[in-house]
Amino acid sequence: MGQSQVPLFLSLILVLIYGVSSTTFTILNQCSYTVWPGLLSGAGTPPLPTTGFSLNPTETRVIPIPAAWSGRIWGRTLCTQDATTGKFTCVTGDCGSSAVECSGSGAAPPATLAEFTLNGAGGLDFYDVSLVDGYNIPMTIVPQGGGDAGGVAGNCTTTGCVAELNGPCPAQLKVAATTGAEGVACKSACEAFNTPEYCCSGAFGTPDTCKPSEYSLFFKNACPRAYSYAYDDGTSTFTCAGADYVITFCPSPNPSVKSATKEIQPEAVSYSAASSQNASPTLTTVFLIGVLGFASWAVLRVW
């Protein structure tokens, strides 16, 4: 079975371990199949308490986020663990760590990305859903409880891509798990063709020279608020301040997603008790200290 939702008291302990959190991310799986979120912190930003986990259908995970964090979140699909070697791999969004935790590695494209820079310029959070590296799963970001920052306006808009694009994906971009099978992901034109005009590189490395292509317009027409190519900033980056964020996979139940994945989606990976014995001693010690601290606080509250 997948990992269960983090209890409230454990979330409080994680806040103690990783510092005071100004934001929480609630990651929700509304797909009809298991999704394995991956999380990557940007260079020079604090690490998160997890870099990867499983979410069964309807399951939720709440994660405390350090102040001024930047990074990305994505969903891995069609994941399995080799019964002999223990190696963990995913058909889409794989991070190459051979484990459920991505441990500092990013998603192999194509993958739908939720990108964040918290407490950036003007004290605003900047966020977007990007299809620049392709698409593998519907995803939205919904801010909750945010507003302006010191007089600087934030629009706190919901963004994302709710459309199912693996089926209608152009043949040149389509990724299938096996030859002749249904599509499970949709490449970007840059990944598919690796040419400067599609990758916005070389002579096409500026907004004036790199324009939308028929392939980026396929993504943009389906998901107008999502990044579709490198210079799509004007309609795809959003700002807010003081908000928490809900990141949802498959935000709108889509029968075509269920039918396309029904035959090939694996069961959630199970983990043995032996694997839990390999947990970091340092983290275990910190965890116990956190538990004791929490218990002491609760006693003082009673008195």
Side-chain angles (χ1 to χ4, degrees):
M1 297 296 292
Q3 296 177 5
S4 60
Q5 181 177 347
V6 176
L8 176 60
F9 83 91
L10 183 53
S11 296
L12 293 172
I13 292 168
L14 290 173
V15 169
L16 290 174
I17 295 172
Y18 289 94
V20 176
S21 171
S22 59
T23 303
T24 60
F25 285 173
T26 300
I27 304 178
L28 169 63
N29 180 16
Q30 290 187 344
C31 302
S32 60
Y33 48 87
T34 301
V35 174
W36 287 261
L39 303 93
L40 177 66
S41 297
T45 62
L48 298 181
T50 179
T51 59
F53 51 91
S54 68
L55 275 183
N56 290 324
T58 73
E59 198 170 16
T60 299
R61 181 83 172 256
V62 179
I63 302 175
I65 305 299
W69 182 83
S70 68
R72 52 180 49 177
I73 298 171
W74 67 98
R76 294 169 288 174
T77 66
L78 298 163
C79 301
T80 55
Q81 187 171 39
D82 188 280
T84 302
T85 65
K87 183 178 181 180
F88 180 85
T89 57
C90 302
V91 174
T92 78
D94 190 70
C95 58
S97 67
S98 300
V100 175
E101 294 274 350
C102 285
S103 303
S105 298
T112 312
L113 303 174
E115 302 179 313
F116 291 88
T117 297
L118 303 182
N119 196 25
L124 291 171
D125 300 340
F126 293 78
Y127 60 96
D128 65 82
V129 168
S130 175
L131 309 180
V132 174
D133 286 347
Y135 167 101
N136 71 329
I137 191 170
M139 182 193 296
T140 56
I141 299 172
V142 180
Q144 293 190 327
D148 300 341
V152 180
N155 52 26
C156 299
T157 300
T158 295
T159 188
C161 182
V162 301
E164 198 289 300
L165 301 181
N166 293 330
C169 179
Q172 302 94 321
L173 309 182
K174 187 169 290 189
V175 176
T178 57
T179 302
E182 295 282 353
V184 296
C186 192
K187 295 180 182 178
S188 67
C190 176
E191 184 191 1
F193 307 117
N194 195 29
T195 56
E197 61 266 36
Y198 291 127
C199 296
C200 294
S201 59
F204 296 87
T206 68
D208 292 332
T209 57
C210 192
K211 301 298 183 181
S213 68
E214 61 178 306
Y215 298 109
S216 70
L217 288 173
F218 162 75
F219 293 114
K220 196 65 176 179
N221 290 335
C223 303
R225 292 182 179 176
Y227 256 96
S228 60
Y229 79 110
Y231 295 112
D232 200 11
D233 307 60
T235 60
S236 306
T237 301
F238 300 91
T239 58
C240 197
D244 296 320
Y245 296 91
V246 178
I247 299 100
T248 303
F249 298 112
C250 303
S252 178
N254 191 317
S256 63
V257 175
K258 297 178 182 179
S259 61
T261 58
K262 183 176 180 181
E263 298 300 323
I264 54 178
Q265 290 293 350
E267 295 296 325
V269 175
S270 297
Y271 300 95
S272 66
S275 64
S276 67
Q277 294 174 0
N278 295 326
S280 166
T282 301
L283 182 56
T284 301
T285 301
V286 173
F287 176 81
L288 291 174
I289 293 172
V291 171
L292 292 173
F294 180 80
S296 300
W297 173 86
V299 171
L300 289 173
R301 291 280 296 177
V302 172
W303 284 100

